[in-house]
Amino acid sequence: MSTYSIGIDIGGTNTDIGLVRDDGLCMDKKNLHTNEYLDAKVYVADICSKIKMLMAENKVEAIDGIGIAAPAGNFYTGCIENATNLNFKGVIDLPKLFHEHLDAPVVVSNDANAAAYGELVYGGAKGMRHFVMFTLGTGVGSGIVVDGKLVHGKTGGAGELGHAILIPEGRPCGCGRKGCLETYTSATGIRCTTLEMLEAMPSYDGPLSHVDPEKITSKMVGDAANDGDPLALMVFEKTGYWLGIAMANAVAFSGPEAVFLMGGPVKAGDVLLKPARESFKKHLCFVYDGSVEVRVSELPDNDAAILGAAALTKA
């Protein structure tokens, strides 16, 4: 008999709620606009109403648990702790709020850790004991699995490889420091590299030169690269080079079987993956030669965040 769990992905704009079967199938989904809520208590009450609707509509009487991927989510406390991109500020005790409406275990973590655990439970890392996940989006997150368990560290915030400094005194980062990996290999970083190269190459007359600089996106650059645009290809060569260094450094401290990549920029395909793998091989310490591979997440794009959150209930 199948069992079920709920996966919730909390974003600054939207919250996705999914009913997930134990084989990793997302049965059904609901959505809320996170940015419409100023009160966390009302927000959680509305999420719980959506969960009850999902269960009723799919004739599910019980769930094993509720997994929540949240910005600044702390695995140890179950709280959202001072998230900068949510309207409700301070420390939000999610288990306490959920238990006012539903009697089910609640597990909370950040989105990158959830993605890593989703890969372990439902994706390409099934059967692996050691791997690292990099999530490339507006920022860069990471989840580290060692001996089959997520690494949380003392505070619950271990694995912030997006905020490891790649280039000392480099680009300013939202964390307050300079030169973090996130500022170079995120979608935001790709856009920044593109603008820098457009400025440095005034004679360039390609598709990106005819777009308002304010409207250039990482996807736009990826599409141009796949169409053979030389400037866009150079942007992804640089991005892949930087990403390869970060992956090689991650291997040096955790000795994984694989490094997984997921997120919008990864969808550009080989224009990013080829230079990233080449840079990874170039910078990898020789003791790890042949022991680790770079792979793309096998979680389905549309349900990856929900599956990652639901997988936390298996932690």
Side-chain angles (χ1 to χ4, degrees):
M1 180 182 291
S2 296
T3 59
Y4 302 87
S5 57
I6 295 291
I8 302 172
D9 176 47
I10 298 177
T13 303
N14 293 297
T15 296
D16 294 315
I17 307 150
L19 177 67
V20 178
R21 202 166 63 190
D22 55 5
D23 62 356
L25 176 66
C26 185
M27 304 283 293
D28 199 359
K29 292 183 281 190
K30 302 286 185 185
N31 177 275
L32 288 176
H33 297 299
T34 320
N35 56 4
E36 292 181 359
Y37 290 86
L38 299 176
D39 187 323
K41 194 166 186 175
V42 175
Y43 170 67
V44 170
D46 284 358
I47 290 177
C48 290
S49 294
K50 297 288 188 182
I51 291 173
K52 291 173 183 177
M53 290 171 61
L54 283 170
M55 293 173 65
E57 290 168 3
N58 291 277
K59 297 180 172 57
V60 171
E61 296 182 0
I63 52 175
D64 287 346
I66 300 168
I68 305 172
N74 189 314
F75 176 81
Y76 294 136
T77 66
C79 296
I80 294 176
E81 299 181 346
N82 304 302
T84 58
N85 62 341
L86 299 178
N87 289 335
F88 26 91
K89 305 301 182 185
V91 177
I92 311 299
D93 189 335
L94 289 177
K96 180 180 177 181
L97 293 178
F98 272 86
H99 288 155
E100 292 178 6
H101 305 276
L102 292 167
D103 182 20
V106 176
V107 184
V108 179
S109 194
N110 64 50
D111 54 356
N113 277 345
Y117 216 76
E119 203 69 42
L120 178 65
V121 175
Y122 300 124
K126 279 183 182 178
M128 289 189 183
R129 301 281 292 165
H130 317 276
F131 69 94
V132 177
M133 165 73 79
F134 282 89
T135 59
L136 310 184
T138 304
V140 173
S142 61
I144 303 163
V145 173
V146 175
D147 293 329
K149 297 179 180 179
L150 275 168
V151 175
H152 296 287
K154 180 179 179 180
T155 66
E160 287 286 358
L161 300 182
H163 293 290
I165 292 175
L166 179 72
I167 298 177
E169 302 304 317
R171 294 173 181 169
C173 183
C175 74
R177 301 186 304 163
K178 292 181 178 180
C180 293
L181 176 68
E182 179 171 295
T183 66
Y184 292 93
T185 62
S186 64
T188 309
I190 290 169
R191 180 178 180 277
C192 185
T193 302
T194 304
L195 295 177
E196 289 175 352
M197 294 189 70
L198 283 169
E199 187 174 343
M201 299 172 61
S203 62
Y204 164 76
D205 186 29
L208 298 173
S209 65
H210 302 290
V211 179
D212 180 346
E214 294 296 320
K215 295 182 179 179
I216 289 176
T217 65
S218 168
K219 183 182 185 305
M220 195 180 294
V221 182
D223 290 343
N226 278 302
D227 287 339
D229 179 67
L231 185 143
L233 284 167
M234 289 172 64
V235 169
F236 274 87
E237 282 282 340
K238 280 180 170 285
T239 304
Y241 179 81
W242 289 320
L243 182 58
I245 294 173
M247 293 190 295
N249 286 341
V251 169
F253 75 79
S254 63
E257 300 165 62
V259 178
F260 284 86
L261 300 172
M262 74 180 302
V266 181
K267 295 175 186 176
D270 282 345
V271 293
L272 174 67
L273 296 174
K274 186 174 183 291
R277 288 186 169 118
E278 289 172 352
S279 176
F280 174 72
K281 184 176 181 180
K282 175 181 178 180
H283 293 102
L284 187 66
C285 181
F286 73 94
V287 298
Y288 302 105
D289 281 348
S291 68
V292 58
E293 57 182 331
V294 176
R295 297 175 59 175
V296 175
S297 170
E298 294 181 18
L299 294 177
D301 287 343
N302 293 338
D303 298 329
I306 284 173
L307 291 178
L312 292 170
T313 64
K314 314 293 185 184

